[in-house]
């Protein structure tokens, strides 16, 4: 196989896993953006800033 054939084969083998990783990253970015918008809206409405809540709430 040529070098290009090997690369194409590897890409095809890794495509399902890679797409899951990319979807996960995109989900996290969207969730962080929504959380930031909610925090900003709450502060703009005169509410006190949202408390950072970790695992233990």
């Amino acid at each position: 196989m040529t070098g290009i054939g090997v690369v194409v084969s590897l890409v095809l083998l890794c495509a399902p896993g890679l797409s899951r990783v990319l979807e996960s990253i995109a989900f996290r970015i969207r969730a962080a953006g929504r959380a930031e918008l909610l925090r900003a809206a709450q502060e703009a409405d005169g509410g006190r800033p949202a408390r950072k809540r970790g695992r233990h709430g």
Side-chain angles (χ1 to χ4, degrees):
M1 259 193 212
T2 65
I4 294 174
V6 171
V7 170
V8 169
S9 299
L10 288 174
V11 168
L12 291 176
L13 287 174
C14 297
L18 183 61
S19 66
R20 284 193 190 120
V21 169
L22 292 175
E23 286 175 12
S24 175
I25 292 170
F27 176 81
R28 287 174 180 260
I29 290 171
R30 285 193 302 269
R34 277 194 293 267
E36 186 64 30
L37 287 174
L38 289 174
R39 270 189 238 110
Q42 184 179 11
E43 289 179 13
D45 288 339
R48 64 186 180 99
R51 208 176 87 214
K52 288 191 179 179
R53 298 177 69 178
R55 270 182 195 241
H56 302 290

